[in-house]
């Protein structure tokens, strides 16, 4: 015996956002991508380049330690935490600004 087929859900009409809303969405997405790109670049510089150029950076000292050693020991972790904090803070501000302009 065949199982009865449930009725199909009624099709919802697709609503295209208004041109003003689409413009704000595009601006929000552009700012989000720009922020992400900048923070990823900082992550790359601290995580990869300090290790790759460790011998060239040995003459730089931070708190009495050679910079490559400091970045490997704890500096990179502190930078990663700062990246996360900046991302959360900035995205909160961007989202609030977007939603505030959406309600007006």
């Amino acid at each position: 015996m065949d199982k009865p087929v449930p009725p199909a859900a009624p099709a919802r009409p697709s609503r295209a956002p208004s041109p003003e809303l689409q413009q704000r969405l595009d601006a929000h997405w552009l700012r989000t991508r720009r922020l992400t790109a900048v923070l990823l670049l900082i992550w790359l510089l601290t995580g990869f380049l300090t290790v790759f150029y460790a011998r060239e950076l040995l003459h730089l000292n931070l708190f009495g330690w050679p910079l490559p050693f400091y970045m490997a020991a704890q500096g990179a972790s502190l930078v990663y935490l700062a990246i996360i904090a900046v991302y959360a803070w900035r995205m909160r501000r961007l989202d609030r600004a977007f939603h505030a302009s959406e309600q007006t």
Side-chain angles (χ1 to χ4, degrees):
M1 299 245 268
D2 292 335
K3 293 183 180 179
V5 177
R12 292 184 185 165
S14 63
R15 292 186 220 159
S18 67
E20 296 84 18
L21 177 61
Q22 187 62 44
Q23 185 179 12
R24 287 197 318 267
L25 285 170
D26 291 342
H28 183 269
W29 182 237
L30 177 68
R31 289 184 187 119
T32 301
R33 286 184 306 185
R34 188 179 307 141
L35 174 66
T36 304
V38 168
L39 293 178
L40 281 174
L41 180 63
I42 293 170
W43 171 74
L44 175 72
L45 292 175
T46 59
F48 177 72
L49 291 181
T50 55
V51 174
F52 189 76
Y53 293 108
R55 288 187 180 148
E56 289 82 3
L57 296 173
L58 278 175
H59 69 279
L60 297 174
N61 290 326
L62 188 64
F63 302 116
W65 297 95
L67 180 65
F69 176 79
Y70 180 80
M71 290 303 293
Q74 60 192 5
S77 298
L78 295 175
V79 171
Y80 299 155
L81 287 174
I83 287 172
I84 293 168
V86 167
Y87 182 80
W89 170 72
R90 185 67 180 136
M91 284 306 298
R92 184 179 307 125
R93 287 187 61 203
L94 283 174
D95 289 342
R96 284 182 182 168
F98 174 74
H99 291 300
S101 66
E102 188 178 57
Q103 294 178 0
T104 58

